């Protein structure tokens, strides 16, 4: 057995679950009385959601429905990045929401500093949009996971490939 253990810190949105959440939200919008005759819709275009509705109030209601469905399916709304509401065709409003995939440079620096300041005997290595944490003791690795779960990081982190 290897003397070193490791795991990867990643941040990604499960696109299949997101698709299911969008379909459920669209179904609820179609059946709700307050959306009868409304031009509300949610579309997934590459790594971006486009939410359209009649006015800003209804747009906010559509977003609330979407957030509820996403949360129910285990998708964190921390990874959503909202653009401002803009007018769209035939007197509707539209908002684009992009999904943050991967740990960006700024957040990886925060995570590295957090782990270094914890004085645990582990090493971190940034590998593109993920961070590998290596250490001799599995207890130290689990302590790092617990530390990052408590930390105020604006991303939904997943811990994968624990070896």
């Amino acid at each position: 057995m290897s003397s070193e253990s490791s795991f990867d810190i990643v941040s990604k949105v499960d696109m299949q679950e997101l698709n299911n959440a969008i379909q459920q939200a669209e179904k609820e919008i179609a059946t709700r009385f307050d959306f009868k005759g409304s031009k509300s819709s949610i579309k997934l275009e590459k790594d971006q959601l486009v939410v359209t509705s009649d006015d800003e109030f209804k747009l906010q209601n559509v977003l609330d429905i979407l957030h509820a469905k996403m949360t129910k399916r285990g998708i964190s709304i921390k990874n959503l990045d909202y653009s401002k509401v803009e007018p769209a065709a035939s007197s509707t409003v539209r908002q684009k929401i992009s999904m943050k995939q991967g740990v960006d440079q700024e957040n990886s620096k925060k995570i590295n500093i957090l782990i270094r300041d914890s004085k645990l005997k582990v090493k971190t290595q940034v590998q593109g949009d993920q961070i590998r944490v290596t250490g001799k003791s599995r207890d130290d690795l689990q302590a790092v996971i617990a530390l990052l779960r408590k930390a105020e990081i604006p991303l939904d982190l997943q811990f994968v490939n624990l070896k």
Side-chain angles (χ1 to χ4, degrees):
M1 188 169 141
S2 153
S3 63
E4 293 249 320
S5 298
S6 69
F7 70 90
D8 296 331
I9 303 170
V10 297
S11 177
K12 56 185 163 205
V13 176
D14 184 350
M15 295 311 267
Q16 184 60 51
E17 287 296 327
L18 181 64
N19 248 344
N20 293 341
I22 291 169
Q23 287 174 356
Q24 287 182 334
E26 292 237 297
K27 227 178 253 181
E28 184 174 329
I29 290 167
T31 58
R32 275 184 43 170
F33 180 75
D34 54 338
F35 284 106
K36 203 160 205 80
S38 169
K39 297 175 189 147
S40 300
S41 71
I42 306 167
K43 288 190 177 53
L44 182 63
E45 298 172 353
K46 294 181 188 158
D47 268 358
Q48 202 172 53
L49 283 170
V50 179
V51 182
T52 312
S53 194
D54 298 334
D55 53 53
E56 284 193 43
F57 179 72
K58 279 193 178 164
L59 182 79
Q60 192 56 51
N61 286 343
V62 171
L63 288 175
D64 290 344
I65 294 169
L66 180 64
H67 290 163
K69 299 300 179 189
M70 286 174 69
T71 306
K72 214 177 254 183
R73 298 202 69 87
I75 305 169
S76 176
I77 55 177
K78 277 184 176 181
N79 286 12
L80 300 179
D81 190 25
Y82 301 91
S83 66
K84 64 180 194 192
V85 179
E86 56 191 40
S90 64
S91 70
T92 59
V93 291
R94 169 180 54 216
Q95 186 170 24
K96 292 182 179 176
I97 306 166
S98 46
M99 259 78 61
K100 297 180 202 167
Q101 298 276 27
V103 182
D104 59 327
Q105 288 286 315
E106 184 181 319
N107 285 314
S108 58
K109 282 180 186 173
K110 284 181 191 173
I111 291 169
N112 276 331
I113 290 170
L114 210 62
I115 293 172
R116 196 175 339 115
D117 291 348
S118 71
K119 302 283 191 247
L120 291 167
K121 291 182 179 165
V122 294
K123 290 181 280 195
T124 59
Q125 181 180 17
V126 177
Q127 299 177 329
D129 60 355
Q130 67 183 22
I131 302 170
R132 166 129 329 144
V133 180
T134 338
K136 289 191 190 301
S137 165
R138 280 189 164 227
D139 292 339
D140 285 347
L141 295 180
Q142 289 175 341
V144 168
I145 292 173
L147 172 81
L148 292 175
R149 283 208 169 116
K150 284 185 217 162
E152 295 288 322
I153 297 170
L155 285 176
D156 178 43
L157 299 176
Q158 291 98 30
F159 308 100
V160 295
N161 298 335
L162 183 59
K163 297 175 190 157

